[in-house]
Amino acid sequence: MENQPEKKRKPAARIASSTPGINELGRVPPQAVDLEQAVLGAMMLEKNAVTDTIDILKISSFYDPKHQYIYGAIRELFGSSSPIDLLTVINYLKKKGELEAAGGAAYVSSLTSRVASTAHVEYHARVISEKYIKRELIRMSSEVIKDAFDETQDVFDVLGKAEGELFQIAENNMGKSVDTMQNVVRQAIEEIEIASQNKSGISGVPTGFIDLDKLTSGWQRSDMIVIAARPAMGKTAFVLSMARNTAVDHNMGVAVFSLEMSSVQLVKRLIASEARLSAEKLRKGDLAEHEFQQLHTRISKLASAPLYIDDTPGISVFDLRAKCRRLKMQHNIDMVIIDYLQLMTVGGSKGTGNREQEISTISRSIKEIAKELNVPIIALSQLSRSVEQRGGDKRPVLSDLRESGAIEQDADIVSFIYRPEYYGFDTDENGESNKGVGEIIVAKHRNGGLDTVRLRFIGEFARFENLNSYGDFADMGGGNRTGGLNPMQSMEGNSITIPSKMNSFDDDGADFDRSYNDDVPF
C-alpha cells in the first residue's frame, strides 16, 4: 500500500491536462469515451487495429485518464515488438504499477467485450483525435483569454504565444497519408505524358528567361529555390522581372511577400521597369506629355495580371503559411516569392535565442509550405561579407550563404546573382563585354545540371532581360491610351493586388545608374 498515494496522483495529473477549461467554461470538453473504449478493446483483440491507429492517436488524445494508461501500455508493447493482447497489456500495467490507475484488471478486460467489430477502428480513432484537437483549442483559447485580461502582459507577447500554440496544434495533429505505389506511378506517368506534349520543354513555372528555363525546365512545383546575392546585385529586380514574366506573359498567379519594401515602392519599380522610365522621374513626377502617354499605355497590362503583393514587415512562418493557403484557395497562385528570408521571424513566444536555429526552422517551414501547396517558393537570401573579403573575381559559392547551412540543405535549387561589372571586371575570360550583364549562377540543382546563365541587367529601370532580347520599343509612346488608369487604386490594408510586364524590349546595355542604386535597396 506504500505506492497507493502515488497511484492516485497519476490520474489526477493526467486529467488536468486532458480536461482543460472545464472550470472556466462550466461545460464538459468534447470527448467520445465510448469510442475510446471500443478502440482500446479492438487493439487488444486485433493486431491490424493497432497498426491502423497507432500513428493517429497519442496518449493525450484520450479523454479518460484510465484510457491514457492503457493506451500508453499498448504503445510501449508495440514499440518493443511485443505481442499485444488482453493479458500482455494487464501484465505490463501491473509491472509498471499502473494497473489500478487504469481501472483495474476487471475494467481492462471489459473493454474487449465492448467490441462488436474492428472494421471501423480507424474511423473511430480519427473521431477521438478530432475531439482532442477541439480540447486543445479550448485550452489554448482559455489561456489567451486569461493573458488578454492580464494587464501586466504585453499584447504582442500574447499574440505571439497564441500564434505559436495554434501553429503547434496544427503541426502535431495534421499529417499526410502515405501514397500507394500504384497512385504515385500513375501520377508520374501522367506528368511524363504531359511533358512529352509540351514542345517548349518547360514542365514547371516559367521564368521568362529562356536559358534559365532550359536549364531548370521552369521552377518545379513543390521546390524551394533560394536566390542569394550581396547587396546591390539586383535580387529584388530579378524576382520582380521574373514575377512580371510569369504573371503577364503566362497568366499564372504569383504572390510576392515583400518584407523590406512597401507595396507602393514595389509597384513603382514595376511601373518604371514596364514603362522604361527612370525611377527618379517617376518619384518627382517630372514627366513630359509623351512620357505620361507611354506610362499609361504600358501599365495597362500590369493592371490585369494575377500578381499579389503583401508587404507585412517581419512576417512569421505561421502567417506566411496561412496567407499562402488563402491565396492558393482564392486565387490559385502558381508561385510564391519571399523578399527576403533573413527578415522573416519564427513567430510564437518560444524564441531559441540562436539566429542560426531560427533560420533553420524558417527554411524547413518554407520547404514544407512548398510541398503542401504544390508550388515553387523562391526565397531571396543575403550572402555573408566573406564574398567581399576574397580576392579574385568574388564569385559567390555555397559556403557564403549567410547564417545557416540549413538553407543549402533544404533548398532544391540554390542560385547566385553576380554582376562582374560591379566589381570592375569589364570583360569575361573570353573577352566578351560584361557591361550591363548579370549572371545567374546555379550552384545546386537537386534534379538537374549546374550552369551559369547570362542575362541583361538594366540598372536604370531595375530589370533583367534575356541577353539577346530585341523587343519592339518603337511603340512605347503609342498604342491605345488606357485613360487615367491608376494601378494603385486597388490597394487594401497591407496587401495590394497588381499586375505586370517586363521582358520584351531591346536595350542598349545602359550603364548601372549609381544614383538609382542609392535609391533602390536591391
Side-chain angles (χ1 to χ4, degrees):
M1 299 295 292
E2 292 179 3
N3 294 329
Q4 187 69 14
E6 182 182 351
K7 290 178 182 177
K8 288 183 177 179
R9 282 198 301 269
K10 285 181 178 178
R14 293 207 179 189
I15 198 169
S17 63
S18 62
T19 59
I22 189 168
N23 293 329
E24 293 90 336
L25 300 180
R27 290 182 288 184
V28 178
Q31 39 81 24
V33 174
D34 54 341
L35 292 184
E36 292 179 10
Q37 293 172 335
V39 168
L40 291 173
M43 286 179 162
M44 290 186 285
L45 286 176
E46 178 63 52
K47 181 180 179 181
N48 289 340
V50 179
T51 56
D52 287 346
T53 58
I54 202 75
D55 61 337
I56 299 173
L57 298 172
K58 298 181 292 187
I59 292 175
S60 54
S61 300
F62 289 85
Y63 177 76
D64 192 321
K66 298 192 299 292
H67 299 162
Q68 294 180 359
Y69 286 104
I70 298 169
Y71 183 66
I74 292 173
R75 284 186 71 94
E76 290 293 327
L77 291 168
F78 180 82
S80 61
S81 300
S82 302
I84 299 172
D85 57 35
L86 181 60
L87 294 178
T88 57
V89 171
I90 290 176
N91 187 56
Y92 181 88
L93 289 168
K94 198 179 294 182
K95 258 171 59 174
K96 295 282 287 183
E98 296 175 348
L99 183 57
E100 187 176 337
Y107 180 76
V108 178
S109 300
S110 71
L111 295 178
T112 57
S113 64
R114 299 175 183 272
V115 182
S117 169
T118 62
H120 306 297
V121 66
E122 184 178 348
Y123 174 79
H124 295 159
R126 294 195 183 280
V127 173
I128 294 170
S129 179
E130 289 172 7
K131 299 293 184 184
Y132 166 68
I133 293 172
K134 287 183 177 181
R135 293 199 300 273
E136 283 291 279
L137 290 173
I138 291 170
R139 176 192 61 77
M140 185 209 74
S141 301
S142 299
E143 291 181 2
V144 171
I145 292 171
K146 180 181 176 182
D147 290 341
F149 275 109
D150 188 349
E151 292 294 336
T152 65
Q153 295 273 5
D154 182 83
V155 65
F156 294 105
D157 287 343
V158 174
L159 187 62
K161 178 182 176 183
E163 171 191 285
E165 290 208 17
L166 188 60
F167 178 71
Q168 200 66 40
I169 292 171
E171 283 290 289
N172 292 341
N173 294 283
M174 297 178 187
K176 181 180 182 294
S177 59
V178 177
D179 286 324
T180 64
M181 195 62 181
Q182 184 179 13
N183 290 336
V184 177
V185 167
R186 185 187 303 117
Q187 184 178 345
I189 293 299
E190 288 175 359
E191 290 184 3
I192 292 170
E193 289 175 349
I194 292 172
S196 68
Q197 298 168 7
N198 187 354
K199 303 304 179 185
S200 68
I202 299 175
S203 57
V205 178
T207 67
F209 301 121
I210 297 170
D211 292 336
L212 185 59
D213 284 339
K214 283 181 181 178
L215 179 62
T216 63
S217 298
W219 300 135
Q220 300 300 304
R221 297 185 183 275
S222 81
D223 275 4
M224 174 184 172
I225 299 103
V226 172
I227 299 174
R230 288 293 295 154
M233 286 295 108
K235 293 188 298 294
T236 303
F238 175 75
V239 293
L240 281 181
S241 299
M242 180 175 61
R244 175 258 157 225
N245 295 340
T246 302
V248 173
D249 292 342
H250 300 277
N251 197 35
M252 301 177 79
V254 180
V256 179
F257 291 89
S258 175
L259 285 75
E260 189 174 34
M261 301 174 64
S262 70
S263 295
V264 175
Q265 286 177 310
L266 286 183
V267 169
K268 286 181 178 179
R269 291 186 62 170
L270 279 167
I271 292 173
S273 178
E274 191 74 6
R276 289 210 172 212
L277 295 169
S278 74
E280 186 177 356
K281 278 193 170 187
L282 290 178
R283 187 171 59 251
K284 295 178 178 178
D286 185 20
L287 301 177
E289 179 59 32
H290 74 277
E291 289 175 323
F292 270 112
Q293 184 178 359
Q294 175 178 313
L295 172 67
H296 292 303
T297 299
R298 287 296 168 178
I299 64 172
S300 60
K301 290 187 177 181
L302 285 177
S304 57
L307 182 58
Y308 310 94
I309 300 176
D310 186 296
D311 64 357
T312 304
I315 191 170
S316 69
V317 170
F318 178 84
D319 285 336
L320 177 71
R321 187 189 297 267
K323 291 188 178 192
C324 285
R325 282 174 176 165
R326 197 176 304 123
L327 284 166
K328 182 67 175 177
M329 181 176 64
Q330 295 177 351
H331 303 289
N332 194 28
I333 56 171
D334 296 283
M335 184 169 71
V336 174
I337 295 170
I338 302 170
D339 183 13
Y340 58 90
L341 189 147
Q342 277 85 1
L343 291 178
M344 290 186 65
T345 61
V346 174
S349 58
K350 298 178 181 178
T352 62
N354 186 322
R355 185 56 180 165
E356 185 171 331
Q357 291 178 10
E358 289 184 356
I359 292 294
S360 176
T361 300
I362 292 168
S363 173
R364 184 170 60 251
S365 299
I366 289 173
K367 176 60 181 175
E368 289 171 358
I369 296 169
K371 288 184 67 177
E372 177 189 339
L373 300 183
N374 196 33
V375 298
I377 296 185
I378 292 88
L380 298 188
S381 177
Q382 291 280 23
L383 291 178
S384 66
R385 287 193 178 92
S386 59
V387 176
E388 311 291 344
Q389 295 165 0
R390 273 201 306 268
D393 57 12
K394 303 186 186 299
R395 287 177 183 272
V397 294
L398 288 172
S399 59
D400 294 324
L401 282 170
R402 184 173 160 189
E403 288 182 313
S404 177
I407 298 175
E408 176 187 347
Q409 176 183 316
D410 294 328
D412 296 279
I413 295 177
V414 177
S415 59
F416 302 113
I417 301 176
Y418 171 71
R419 292 194 295 109
E421 182 185 17
Y422 181 84
Y423 293 107
F425 298 101
D426 296 328
T427 57
D428 61 15
E429 58 274 12
N430 299 320
E432 295 183 14
S433 174
N434 286 326
K435 186 178 181 182
V437 169
E439 297 181 0
I440 309 299
I441 304 169
V442 179
K444 176 189 175 183
H445 192 184
R446 186 166 285 160
N447 301 306
L450 308 179
D451 204 352
T452 296
V453 175
R454 287 166 64 88
L455 298 175
R456 180 175 303 202
F457 175 70
I458 310 169
E460 185 182 4
F461 308 133
R463 65 183 273 162
F464 280 82
E465 297 179 343
N466 290 305
L467 193 60
N468 297 315
S469 63
Y470 296 99
D472 181 12
F473 190 62
D475 66 342
M476 183 66 79
N480 296 324
R481 288 283 304 257
T482 62
L485 181 63
N486 182 357
M488 290 176 278
Q489 59 192 191
S490 62
M491 284 196 304
E492 194 173 329
N494 275 336
S495 295
I496 176 170
T497 303
I498 103 133
S500 34
K501 181 170 171 124
M502 214 179 288
N503 199 38
S504 59
F505 308 116
D506 186 21
D507 184 71
D508 56 2
D511 288 332
F512 179 71
D513 187 310
R514 288 292 174 185
S515 63
Y516 186 79
N517 180 37
D518 291 338
D519 177 62
V520 180
F522 290 103

